[in-house]
């Protein structure tokens, strides 16, 4: 099976992977600093693209997104097995507010609350808010559609600004296969007063000498910690 994503937990002692066999695996570091497979399960009906840990403030919580147009929230719980108990990940909620494949997910920084941002091949970025005391309850709190997406567009990567000094901000990468082809990276900020996301900055990816526009594949945000500016990196290239 092809591994599509890996994610460390907050402390770097746990590692989750997702793959084309619809499986999720969790590895834990033992006392000898060796990685051991401790959990393996499946729940999606198609390829899993991304897996993501929430901040430990909310417990041992994972989210996964798939080609089956869903996001699943998983929580590690103690279960009874063969007369004893084991720690297993259980499905807490399935988010179904998507028209096409969900290609990217990321939990917000803990100070923003239990919130999950998603990118979907329907061109939209959505924000689901969860109830920390009832992990089965999630709702779409807000959404936006990057300018230039529309028909044939793919919002496929995102990264939160994790700085406590700023309001909620996020960078998103998207591209459109239909003419006119567009490949862009944009930054959005959330206004608590207006209760909506607004565009702050946009960077168009320039076409090459032949006029071909490379696709944005991933983005990452390094906040201004000891620097006078933020740094955003984008991975760009065709398949």
């Amino acid at each position: 099976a092809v591994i599509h994503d890996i994610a460390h937990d907050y402390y770097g002692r746990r590692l989750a992977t997702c793959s084309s066999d619809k499986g999720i695996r969790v590895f834990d570091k033992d006392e000898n600093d060796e990685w051991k497979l401790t959990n393996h399960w499946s729940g999606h009906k198609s390829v899993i693209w991304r897996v993501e840990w929430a901040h430990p403030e909310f417990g041992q919580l994972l989210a996964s997104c798939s080609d089956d147009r869903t996001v699943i929230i998983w929580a590690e719980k103690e279960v009874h097995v063969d007369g004893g108990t084991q720690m297993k990940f259980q499905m807490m909620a399935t988010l179904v507010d998507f028209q096409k494949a969900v290609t990217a997910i990321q939990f917000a920084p803990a100070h923003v609350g239990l919130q999950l941002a998603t990118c979907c091949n329907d061109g939209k970025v959505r924000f689901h808010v969860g109830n920390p005391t009832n992990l089965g309850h999630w709702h779409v709190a807000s959404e936006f559609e990057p300018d230039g997406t529309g028909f044939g567009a793919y919002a496929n990567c995102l990264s939160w600004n994790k700085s406590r000094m700023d309001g909620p901000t996020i960078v998103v990468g998207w591209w459109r296969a239909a003419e006119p082809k567009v490949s862009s990276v944009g930054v959005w900020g959330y206004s608590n007063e207006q209760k909506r996301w607004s565009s702050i900055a946009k960077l168009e990816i320039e076409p090459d000498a032949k006029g071909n526009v490379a696709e944005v594949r991933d983005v990452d945000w390094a906040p201004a910690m000891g620097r006078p500016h933020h740094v955003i990196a984008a991975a760009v290239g065709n398949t």
Side-chain angles (χ1 to χ4, degrees):
V2 176
I3 297 175
H4 291 292
D5 194 26
I6 60 173
H8 281 97
D9 75 336
Y10 182 80
Y11 299 108
R13 302 289 301 180
R14 312 195 79 181
L15 179 69
T17 71
C18 64
S19 50
S20 58
D21 62 1
K22 311 172 192 176
I24 299 173
R25 294 166 175 81
V26 171
F27 298 82
D28 287 292
K29 241 182 187 181
D30 63 17
E31 60 275 7
N32 298 316
D33 278 345
E34 293 183 359
W35 292 100
K36 302 293 185 182
L37 177 63
T38 54
N39 272 283
H40 175 209
W41 72 96
S42 58
H44 286 282
K45 298 178 181 178
S46 188
V47 173
I48 304 174
W49 294 118
R50 300 272 187 165
V51 65
E52 172 80 4
W53 294 93
H55 191 279
E57 172 182 327
F58 305 111
Q60 294 300 302
L61 200 64
L62 277 170
S64 56
C65 67
S66 170
D67 221 42
D68 65 8
R69 305 182 182 186
T70 68
V71 171
I72 298 180
I73 308 297
W74 311 89
E76 191 175 40
K77 302 287 186 180
E78 188 176 70
V79 297
H80 294 279
V81 179
D82 299 329
T85 59
Q86 292 183 8
M87 300 302 293
K88 296 287 185 181
F89 280 86
Q90 296 184 316
M91 183 187 300
M92 305 305 295
T94 302
L95 313 183
V96 296
D97 308 284
F98 311 98
Q99 303 302 313
K100 293 185 178 182
V102 187
T103 53
I105 51 175
Q106 192 173 95
F107 282 104
H111 65 271
V112 177
L114 184 56
Q115 188 171 165
L116 183 71
T118 63
C119 278
C120 182
N121 277 351
D122 62 10
K124 291 185 178 181
V125 179
R126 295 177 176 86
F127 299 86
H128 286 78
V129 173
N131 183 344
T133 61
N134 180 8
L135 294 174
H137 185 261
W138 294 76
H139 69 278
V140 179
S142 57
E143 66 178 45
F144 65 81
E145 186 173 316
D147 179 46
T149 52
F151 178 76
Y154 303 90
N156 64 335
C157 53
L158 54 83
S159 181
W160 286 91
N161 171 14
K162 298 177 177 62
S163 173
R164 291 177 176 269
M165 306 302 293
D166 305 304
T169 43
I170 196 167
V171 58
V172 178
W174 74 95
W175 57 279
R176 186 174 65 207
E179 296 291 346
K181 294 182 179 180
V182 174
S183 187
S184 299
V185 173
V187 177
W188 278 263
Y190 186 77
S191 168
N192 288 314
E193 292 76 22
Q194 299 178 4
K195 303 297 182 184
R196 67 183 182 90
W197 291 87
S198 299
S199 176
I200 297 175
K202 182 179 177 182
L203 173 65
E204 296 282 359
I205 307 300
E206 294 294 333
D208 61 20
K210 297 182 180 179
N212 299 316
V213 179
E215 301 155 6
V216 180
R217 292 297 176 180
D218 206 358
V219 290
D220 199 17
W221 188 317
M225 304 293 286
R227 291 188 306 267
H229 56 270
H230 296 266
V231 176
I232 292 173
V236 180
N238 294 317
T239 54

